Amino acid sequence: MKGEADRLGQHWIQGLYQEYRRRRRSERRLVTGVQTAILVFLFVLWEIAGRMKWIDVLLFSYPSKVFTQIGKDAVSGELWGHVGVTVGETLVGFLLGTLLGTLLAVLIWWSPFLSKVLDPYMVVFNSMPKVALGPIFIVMFGAGFTAILMTTLSITVIITTLVVYNSFQEVDSNLIKVVRTFGGSRRDTFSKVILPASFPAIVSTLKVNVGMAWVGVIVGEFLVAKNGLGYLIIYGFQVFNFTLVMSSLLIIAVVATLMYQAVVYVERLLLSDRPQR
C-alpha cells in the first residue's frame, strides 16, 4: 500500500514538473516570437520611412540598401577581413579582460590592506573617460593591435574587478564564520565559500564584458586602425557613405548578439546543476 502511494506521489510530482517545463517552453517561444516581431516591425518601418523620405536617407539609409551593401562587400571578399580583425580583437580583449579582472578581484579580496590602498584609485580610474587614454596607448605601444587591446582592457578589467570584488564582499558572513569555526584557513574560506557563492556573478560578468569589449575595440579602431569594422565606420563618414556606416553597425550588432548568446549558453551549462532560488 505504501509503495503504491509512493509511486502515485512520484507520478504526480513528475506530472507537475513536466507541466512546468511545458509552460517554460511556451513562455520562451512567446518571448522569442514577440522579439522577432518587434525586430521585423522596426526594419519594415525603417524601410518605409526611407522610401517615403520621412527620414534623411543620406544619413540613415534604409535596410534594402544596407543589405545590398553587405552582400556586395561579402561577395567581393572585402568584408571578411575587416570582420575577422575586429572579432579577433574583441575576443582577445573580452577573454583577457575577464581573466585579469577576476584575478585582480581575488588579489584585493585576499589582502584587505591592498583593498584599502587601491579602492580610491579604482574609483577614479573607472570614472575616467577611456577614450582619453587612447592617444597615450598609441604613443606607448604604437598604432596597432596592442594599442587597441590596451584600450579594450582599460574598460573590461576595471568593470570585472569591481563587479567580482563586490560579489565577494556580499557573500553571507555566516557561511564564512562556519568555515572559520571549524578551523578553515583563508584559502579554505575562499575555495569553499567565496568562490562558489560568487560564481554566478563571475559568469554574469561575461555578459557585461561582451558589450564593454566591443566598445573598447571600436574606440581603439577609430583612433588607430587601418582595417576592421571601426575603420569602416570612420571611412564611411569621411566619404559620406552612410550606408557603409549603417551596414558596419548592423554587423557589429549581429556579431555582438551571437557572442552574448554564446555566453548565455555557457552560463546554462555551468550553472545547470546549481539549485535555483
Side-chain angles (χ1 to χ4, degrees):
M1 193 68 173
K2 181 179 179 182
E4 182 66 22
D6 289 341
R7 283 194 297 271
L8 290 174
Q10 291 176 0
H11 180 74
W12 179 70
I13 293 174
Q14 186 68 21
L16 290 177
Y17 177 67
Q18 293 298 332
E19 180 62 26
Y20 167 76
R21 292 191 62 183
R22 281 194 293 270
R23 288 199 303 268
R24 288 292 301 271
R25 286 195 296 267
S26 177
E27 182 182 10
R28 284 198 294 268
R29 286 194 294 267
L30 178 61
V31 169
T32 302
V34 173
Q35 290 174 335
T36 303
I38 292 174
L39 183 63
V40 171
F41 172 77
L42 291 176
F43 271 99
V44 171
L45 181 62
W46 181 15
E47 181 75 21
I48 295 174
R51 300 230 178 229
M52 299 297 292
K53 308 300 182 183
W54 297 344
I55 59 176
D56 189 340
V57 179
L58 176 63
L59 291 178
F60 298 103
S61 189
Y62 48 87
S64 59
K65 288 184 66 176
V66 171
F67 290 131
T68 300
Q69 178 77 49
I70 294 174
K72 182 183 69 174
D73 292 340
V75 170
S76 67
E78 181 180 352
L79 177 64
W80 305 115
H82 294 291
V83 173
V85 167
T86 301
V87 171
E89 293 167 344
T90 304
L91 287 175
V92 173
F94 166 70
L95 295 174
L96 194 58
T98 302
L99 177 61
L100 293 178
T102 302
L103 291 177
L104 182 57
V106 173
L107 180 63
I108 61 179
W109 176 86
W110 204 277
S111 173
F113 175 78
L114 186 61
S115 172
K116 294 175 183 177
V117 170
L118 293 181
D119 183 67
Y121 294 100
M122 289 192 298
V123 172
V124 170
F125 188 77
N126 186 49
S127 63
M128 185 179 299
K130 306 305 185 295
V131 178
L133 300 176
I136 298 176
F137 293 140
I138 294 172
V139 173
M140 292 176 61
F141 303 106
F145 171 78
T146 305
I148 295 173
L149 178 60
M150 293 305 299
T151 303
T152 306
L153 293 180
S154 69
I155 299 175
T156 56
V157 170
I158 191 65
I159 292 295
T160 302
T161 301
L162 292 175
V163 172
V164 175
Y165 177 69
N166 286 335
S167 71
F168 288 168
Q169 295 293 94
E170 293 172 0
V171 173
D172 190 349
S173 59
N174 291 322
L175 298 176
I176 299 175
K177 290 177 182 178
V178 169
V179 175
R180 291 180 176 174
T181 299
F182 285 95
S185 64
R186 192 165 182 79
R187 176 178 295 180
D188 294 327
T189 302
F190 180 78
S191 62
K192 299 183 183 302
V193 178
I194 301 296
L195 186 59
S198 304
F199 194 61
I202 295 174
V203 176
S204 296
T205 305
L206 295 173
K207 299 178 182 179
V208 178
N209 274 351
V210 169
M212 294 297 99
W214 275 101
V215 170
V217 167
I218 298 302
V219 167
E221 290 185 346
F222 282 172
L223 297 174
V224 303
K226 295 181 180 179
N227 49 28
L229 295 174
Y231 165 77
L232 287 183
I233 293 173
I234 292 296
Y235 176 76
F237 276 116
Q238 291 173 343
V239 300
F240 290 93
N241 185 354
F242 291 97
T243 299
L244 177 61
V245 174
M246 297 303 293
S247 66
S248 300
L249 291 174
L250 182 59
I251 292 171
I252 290 173
V254 170
V255 180
T257 301
L258 293 176
M259 286 182 59
Y260 182 87
Q261 291 302 319
V263 171
V264 171
Y265 178 73
V266 171
E267 180 183 32
R268 288 174 182 170
L269 290 179
L270 295 177
L271 303 181
S272 59
D273 59 341
R274 295 177 62 92
Q276 301 295 318
R277 295 184 182 184

